[in-house]
Each structure stands twice: as C-alpha cells, then as structure tokens.
Amino acid sequence: MKKHLNCGALLESLSEYVDGVLGDALCAEIESHVADCDDCRVVVDTLKKTIYLYHETSEKTEIPIDVRTRLFHRLNLDDFIQEKKQV
Amino acid sequence: MNEESQQEFSLELLRSGDRAELARLVDVHSTKIYRLGLKMLSNPQDAEDVLQNTFLKAIQALPKFEGRSTISTWLYRIAVNESLMLIRRRKPEFDFASKVEGEEDDEILLTQFSDWCCLPESELVSSEAQKYLDKAIQELSEKLRVVFLLRDIEKLSITETSEALNISESAVKTRLLRARLQLREMLSKYYGERLNAEKTG
Ligand SMILES: [Zn+2]
C-alpha cells in the first residue's frame, strides 16, 4: 500500500475534488489513496451523494401560487399575474 | 445560470421602469429567492417577507446597479442581507463577518463511515428523508448554512458566492467544506440506520 497522501491531506482537497476542479496530479493522488483507504472512499462517495441529494430535492421547491400573487400585488404588477410563468 | 440570466434581461428596460420586463425578472428569480429565504429562516412567512423586500429593494436600487455582478448574484445578495437582518432581529449578537468557530484550524471531525450510497432512491428521497434533510440543514450555523445554500443548492460559483455574501473566496471555501462535512455526518447517521435496517430486515 503506497500512501503518498494521508487522510488528513485528502480532506483539504476534498471540496475541489468533488467539484471536479482539482488539478490532474492531485486528482490522481486522491484516486490512488481512495483505492486503498476504504474510509476515505466512503467519505468521498457519501459527500457527493449528500450534495446531490440536497440539490435534487430542493429543485422541487417552487414558489406557492398565492405567494406569487401577493408578491405581484405588492410590486404593483397585478396586471401581469395571469401571465404564464416562464422559468 | 450566470451569463445567461444576465443577457436575458434588458437593464435599460428595467431601469426605465418597464413593467413587463420587471414582471419577467420577478418570475424567473422568485422561486430561487423564496427557496433561499425558506431554507435560511425555516418559516414561510419570513421567506415571503424576504422575497417581497428583496424585489422592493432591487427595484429601488436598479438605477444604481452597475452590472459588475450578474443580476442573479445581485438579487441573491439583497436576499441574503434581508435574511440576515431577520436573523439579527432574533439574535441581536449575531455577526456574520466574524469568523466561524474553528474556521482557522483544520480539525474537522469525521466519525461516520457507513456506505449508504447504495440505498434505493425511494429510500433516499422518501418524505421522511426529506424532513430529515430539512432538519439537518437547520442545524448548521447560519454562516455555514448560507454558504451551502448558495453554492450547493443554488449552484453559484465560489466567486459569485463570495460576491453575494461579501466575504473572501477563501472564507467561502472553508465554510463550504465545513458545511458539507457536517451535513454528510448527519445524513450518514440517518441513512446508516436505514442501511442497517435493510440488512437485518
Ligand atoms: Zn484515507
């Protein structure tokens, strides 16, 4: 087991790694580390999943119709309330 | 989202008070602003106040908007300030700019190593899980929460997040990592139990 990178050092680059913005060399080091270190592999996988789940489930939150209506009213845009929402 | 939404709207029309253009701006951004307020404050009435005040202030400030950031980032910035104002009303000692506790040192605790990624989607996004996700995010401190919301839920870049929050990019990165890891710990506890139940059940 060659460990160029210890678990603590991996943590420092973790955000950049899961965001896919880490340089090739560091990326390769992380990949070879997680191939040998099960805990770090799990941390990487579950971290990605955590971010994914929050983004996915939040997409479902839409502004309620009545909140939109009151907003348009407050902004003196009542005449545009009926217009189709374009998102 | 960044460049597109900038080009989608005519600043000239907006500044001249064109109401159709304004209505379009409101419709494109209202869900995002409402969602941010809701997750920041965890209260629909507060979220609605944030939403209304954000657009009222934006309309007032449009003549001074220089377009250095995108309209979208600018609206988030106003919405964040509105949210923080409500938080300060609840907790007068709250200071957003001060460092997060332990922001400097790198002790970040990792205690959960159950591999719950393989749980079925139905289990991961069940309505019970959804409630837990909401609860977990409320347990983050406001400073960490807002960074996570902008970066990972609204998908702003690090630079845009730093512009919206008026903190440095390195502070965004530090807070983001902490927020992500804290949420991962909490989710691992929750889904880890589901995983065990599935194995034994
Ligand atoms: Zn490791």
Side-chain angles (χ1 to χ4, degrees):
Chain A
M1 260 200 334
K2 50 165 191 183
K3 287 207 173 180
H4 295 298
L5 189 91
N6 62 30
C7 305
L10 179 132
L11 212 53
E12 279 169 30
S13 312
L14 192 53
S15 264
E16 282 80 11
Y17 180 66
V18 300
D19 288 339
V21 296
L22 200 61
D24 288 347
L26 265 175
C27 239
E29 280 195 47
I30 288 187
E31 267 148 29
S32 89
H33 177 86
V34 297
D36 286 338
C37 179
D38 213 42
D39 281 353
C40 282
R41 181 190 60 77
V42 169
V43 168
V44 168
D45 288 350
T46 52
L47 182 61
K48 282 185 188 164
K49 199 78 174 182
T50 296
I51 297 167
Y52 165 84
L53 281 174
Y54 271 106
H55 184 247
E56 281 304 292
T57 56
S58 298
E59 291 281 282
K60 290 181 212 146
T61 309
E62 282 272 333
I63 181 174
I65 297 280
D66 53 330
V67 173
R68 177 178 177 269
T69 303
R70 288 193 292 272
L71 174 64
F72 273 65
H73 180 67
R74 185 87 195 273
L75 302 176
N76 292 318
L77 293 169
D78 299 74
D79 41 331
F80 293 95
I81 287 176
Q82 295 309 324
E83 238 154 75
K84 221 174 135 233
K85 283 187 74 176
Q86 30 176 310
V87 176
Chain B
M1 100 178 16
N2 342 341
E3 284 96 320
E4 286 150 38
S5 45
Q6 185 82 320
Q7 271 134 32
E8 261 173 44
F9 298 100
S10 158
L11 268 181
E12 221 170 299
L13 284 177
L14 286 171
R15 287 202 187 105
S16 72
D18 186 288
R19 296 172 65 257
E21 189 70 351
L22 180 61
R24 226 161 57 77
L25 179 81
V26 172
D27 259 340
V28 168
H29 293 288
S30 55
T31 280
K32 298 184 234 171
I33 301 297
Y34 180 75
R35 189 165 55 204
L36 180 74
L38 196 59
K39 291 187 188 282
M40 230 9 236
L41 300 154
S42 187
N43 174 313
Q45 185 54 55
D46 286 347
E48 186 165 349
D49 288 347
V50 165
L51 177 72
Q52 295 190 355
N53 290 336
T54 297
F55 282 108
L56 286 169
K57 294 209 169 152
I59 291 166
Q60 269 183 354
L62 260 171
K64 283 179 287 173
F65 175 64
E66 291 167 359
R68 264 183 301 188
S69 62
T70 62
I71 291 187
S72 171
T73 303
W74 181 64
L75 288 172
Y76 277 127
R77 184 177 176 130
I78 301 172
V80 165
N81 286 335
E82 288 300 310
S83 303
L84 295 178
M85 214 167 68
L86 287 183
I87 289 168
R88 256 180 236 116
R89 206 170 289 168
R90 291 181 198 159
K91 296 193 254 179
E93 74 286 358
F94 179 73
D95 175 13
F96 186 73
S98 74
K99 285 209 160 63
V100 176
E101 208 175 313
E103 192 167 292
E104 297 264 88
D105 52 51
D106 8 329
E107 48 86 32
I108 295 179
L109 219 58
L110 293 176
T111 64
Q112 302 291 317
F113 301 101
S114 77
D115 190 0
W116 47 268
C117 286
C118 50
L119 279 171
E121 192 80 1
S122 59
E123 186 100 63
L124 289 171
V125 299
S126 70
S127 57
E128 195 203 305
Q130 180 64 61
K131 276 194 199 126
Y132 188 83
L133 289 171
D134 288 341
K135 195 177 137 242
I137 209 164
Q138 295 308 317
E139 296 204 3
L140 293 178
S141 72
E142 287 87 357
K143 293 178 194 186
L144 298 186
R145 195 188 311 149
V146 71
V147 172
F148 183 80
L149 291 176
L150 292 178
R151 177 75 186 94
D152 283 340
I153 292 189
E154 302 304 332
K155 296 292 175 193
L156 270 62
S157 68
I158 296 282
T159 308
E160 289 167 331
T161 307
S162 111
E163 285 169 5
L165 297 178
N166 203 21
I167 57 176
S168 70
E169 291 193 13
S170 76
V172 169
K173 289 181 188 170
T174 315
R175 292 181 191 192
L176 179 65
L177 179 63
R178 285 185 175 267
R180 285 173 163 182
L181 290 176
Q182 280 184 27
L183 289 172
R184 193 205 69 89
E185 287 280 310
M186 288 189 268
L187 263 55
S188 294
K189 283 178 196 156
Y190 175 80
Y191 289 122
E193 277 173 28
R194 298 290 162 299
L195 195 65
N196 285 337
E198 211 170 65
K199 275 179 190 157
T200 55

